[in-house]
Amino acid sequence: MSYILMNKDVEILEFLYDNETHTVTKIVRMIHPNYAPLGIIEYRTGITRKALNNWWKDRSIPASRSRFKEVMGEMDLHSPVELLERCFGLSLSDQYWIKEGNSDIQWADINFFENDFSEDMGKLLMGQIHYSDDLDIFSPDNSSDGNLKKKWKIINNTRYLIKGGNSFNNQEPFNELVATKLYERILEKQDYVPYELLHENDVYYSACPTMINTDEELVSAYYIDRMIKQRGNDSLCTHFLEACKSLNIPNAKEQIDKMIVCDYIIANYDRHYRNFGAIRNVNTLEWIGIAPIFDSGSSLWATQPTSLIGSTYKCKPFKSYPEEQLGLVDDLFWLDITKLEGFEQEVEDIFKMNPLMDEARIQAIVQQIELRIGKVIERKRQLGNF
């Protein structure tokens, strides 16, 4: 089958696709390659079939997603890519999609930003319903990443990502609210995605609006980082910032510093290269800047027993040890430490809303946040940024 990779209504390239193996077999011709996603570009060779296949597979739901193997069995699917094929590869994180070579369908007819979509697939993935042949599975949930249960939902005409927590204490949704309250205190509004709690079917979830509009795309740090060759003496952080510089992404250093400091305070152990990145305008191809901070639920020892709260953990993305990563921040003039006063009490009040967290666990977390704020203040003193 012949298909066209699209960026909104701009044709990027034509390719041949094997519907049995769910892979690209050949790139037939380039049309407007400048509008291609970064993920299909190799810095040495440009756009390649291998990179296109990897990018296509990366758009699908990861096999490690909670309950996803059961869903695959219920639907008699052999590959998560099959779900992508049923929704043109559309997403709520960018404007890319594919169409058959002879199709006259338009982006405006099908995109999830402007058109309603069914919640059936999201409910199925969340375990709220069982599969049946009459379900409408045309949904952005077919291209959502991450391991925790999640679904997209339209609330008052805004697209919200609803996300669950672990089965042990469901702490992650509350962590997102804690992170949001921290960001509200010390960051600008454009620096973060706000999360709130949603109570649905007697379970608490986090809910956040999509961070981009119909003219933008979120590009993960994973793809940005691969745009230039890493020099042997460059640290991971230096290399990423050099990659941002090569793409003309503005103000990257300060925004990454903000992310590192906030992640340190909330002990984020999972800030990997696919949950931060940058925003690009898909029409002009100009970079708007580093993406607002999102996806901070994997923090504060969420999956650890209370006795291990405060224990050493390996952090990401640039250093394995939190203090070393905090040491990468060499300018804290932007941080007003007076705005952190009383934050511990706010954290305590949030966690008391979680019926699966007892007082001992809450107090252990509060103590750790207090200690970590103290270390950030000490770092500010070391830098002389007062």
Side-chain angles (χ1 to χ4, degrees):
M1 291 286 292
S2 175
Y3 288 89
I4 305 290
L5 174 62
M6 307 289 296
N7 185 339
K8 295 183 76 171
D9 283 319
V10 176
E11 297 183 344
I12 299 170
L13 57 83
E14 181 184 3
F15 63 94
L16 299 181
Y17 191 76
D18 187 326
N19 287 298
E20 290 187 1
T21 62
H22 312 290
T23 56
V24 176
T25 58
K26 182 181 180 180
I27 294 178
V28 177
R29 63 188 174 106
M30 299 293 179
I31 306 172
H32 294 103
N34 288 344
Y35 288 84
L38 257 65
I40 72 170
I41 303 171
E42 300 280 358
Y43 75 84
R44 288 191 182 94
T45 55
I47 296 173
T48 67
R49 182 180 68 88
K50 178 182 177 182
L52 178 55
N53 270 311
N54 289 337
W55 173 83
W56 179 240
K57 183 179 178 181
D58 283 347
R59 288 178 82 74
S60 63
I61 300 171
S64 54
R65 168 79 62 83
S66 176
R67 226 191 81 78
F68 187 51
K69 288 183 180 179
E70 292 92 325
V71 171
M72 292 271 288
E74 290 177 16
M75 300 182 69
D76 194 26
L77 299 177
H78 302 287
S79 168
V81 176
E82 293 179 63
L83 289 171
L84 275 183
E85 295 166 356
R86 300 187 189 190
C87 68
F88 303 95
L90 286 162
S91 168
L92 278 170
S93 295
D94 58 41
Q95 316 304 331
Y96 300 110
W97 59 292
I98 64 169
K99 69 174 183 177
E100 293 184 13
N102 59 358
S103 171
D104 59 0
I105 194 168
Q106 300 292 306
W107 176 83
D109 299 330
I110 58 172
N111 78 83
F112 294 128
F113 290 88
E114 299 173 323
N115 296 287
D116 290 345
F117 52 82
S118 168
E119 287 188 42
D120 287 351
M121 192 64 205
K123 290 178 179 178
L124 184 64
L125 291 167
M126 298 284 275
Q128 296 172 343
I129 60 174
H130 292 287
Y131 180 72
S132 62
D133 290 336
D134 62 346
L135 292 184
D136 180 357
I137 62 170
F138 187 69
S139 161
D141 294 307
N142 295 329
S143 57
S144 61
D145 62 2
N147 294 330
L148 291 174
K149 294 178 183 178
K150 62 182 66 175
K151 66 176 180 179
W152 284 99
K153 183 182 179 73
I154 301 175
I155 304 175
N156 297 326
N157 208 34
T158 298
R159 278 71 181 149
Y160 278 84
L161 183 62
I162 313 301
K163 190 173 179 181
N166 68 74
S167 58
F168 162 54
N169 57 24
N170 196 36
Q171 188 178 314
E172 287 88 347
F174 295 86
N175 285 353
E176 294 285 16
L177 185 57
V178 166
T180 295
K181 295 303 181 182
L182 173 65
Y183 304 152
E184 287 176 351
R185 286 170 172 263
I186 63 176
L187 302 181
E188 303 295 327
K189 280 191 174 182
Q190 65 270 19
D191 293 337
Y192 62 93
V193 176
Y195 285 71
E196 57 191 273
L197 286 176
L198 179 70
H199 198 224
E200 187 177 89
N201 299 324
D202 294 324
V203 179
Y204 281 101
Y205 301 94
S206 66
C208 70
T210 181
M211 72 180 76
I212 62 169
N213 60 41
T214 55
D215 294 321
E216 298 171 343
E217 63 172 316
L218 169 65
V219 183
S220 76
Y222 176 78
Y223 294 128
I224 294 169
D225 195 67
R226 298 167 64 229
M227 284 297 99
I228 61 173
K229 181 180 180 180
Q230 183 165 356
R231 296 177 298 193
N233 59 338
D234 278 354
S235 67
L236 295 178
C237 187
T238 298
H239 174 72
F240 177 74
L241 293 174
E242 284 296 317
C244 289
K245 184 178 179 181
S246 74
L247 295 169
N248 295 317
I249 299 174
N251 202 28
K253 178 65 168 69
E254 181 174 319
Q255 296 307 111
I256 294 300
D257 282 353
K258 289 178 178 179
M259 181 184 78
I260 289 173
V261 169
C262 290
D263 280 348
Y264 180 83
I265 291 175
I266 63 173
N268 190 328
Y269 50 81
D270 199 33
R271 181 65 68 195
H272 54 79
Y273 277 78
R274 293 186 186 274
N275 68 3
F276 72 104
I279 306 291
R280 182 169 71 163
N281 185 295
V282 299
N283 302 317
T284 66
L285 303 182
E286 293 181 355
W287 291 91
I288 296 168
I290 294 296
I293 301 173
F294 65 98
D295 197 4
S296 302
S298 296
S299 53
L300 296 173
W301 296 271
T303 58
Q304 297 296 314
T306 300
S307 60
L308 292 181
I309 291 175
S311 61
T312 302
Y313 64 93
K314 288 193 174 182
C315 65
K316 301 171 183 176
F318 305 122
K319 295 286 186 179
S320 295
Y321 298 100
E323 278 68 30
E324 290 182 4
Q325 187 154 267
L326 182 62
L328 296 173
V329 178
D330 55 14
D331 183 352
L332 281 170
F333 277 113
W334 56 269
L335 176 61
D336 181 354
I337 61 173
T338 64
K339 292 184 178 180
L340 290 168
E341 294 174 4
F343 179 57
E344 298 92 334
Q345 183 60 56
E346 195 168 16
V347 172
E348 181 176 342
D349 293 341
I350 290 170
F351 283 136
K352 283 184 176 180
M353 297 167 61
N354 185 350
L356 300 180
M357 292 179 67
D358 59 26
E359 186 67 18
R361 184 173 187 84
I362 293 171
Q363 292 307 318
I365 292 173
V366 168
Q367 289 173 15
Q368 284 303 313
I369 286 181
E370 185 176 5
L371 287 171
R372 301 178 85 77
I373 288 174
K375 289 184 179 180
V376 169
I377 294 173
E378 179 57 32
R379 177 62 180 165
K380 188 174 170 73
R381 287 199 181 98
Q382 290 174 355
L383 294 171
N385 292 169
F386 279 90

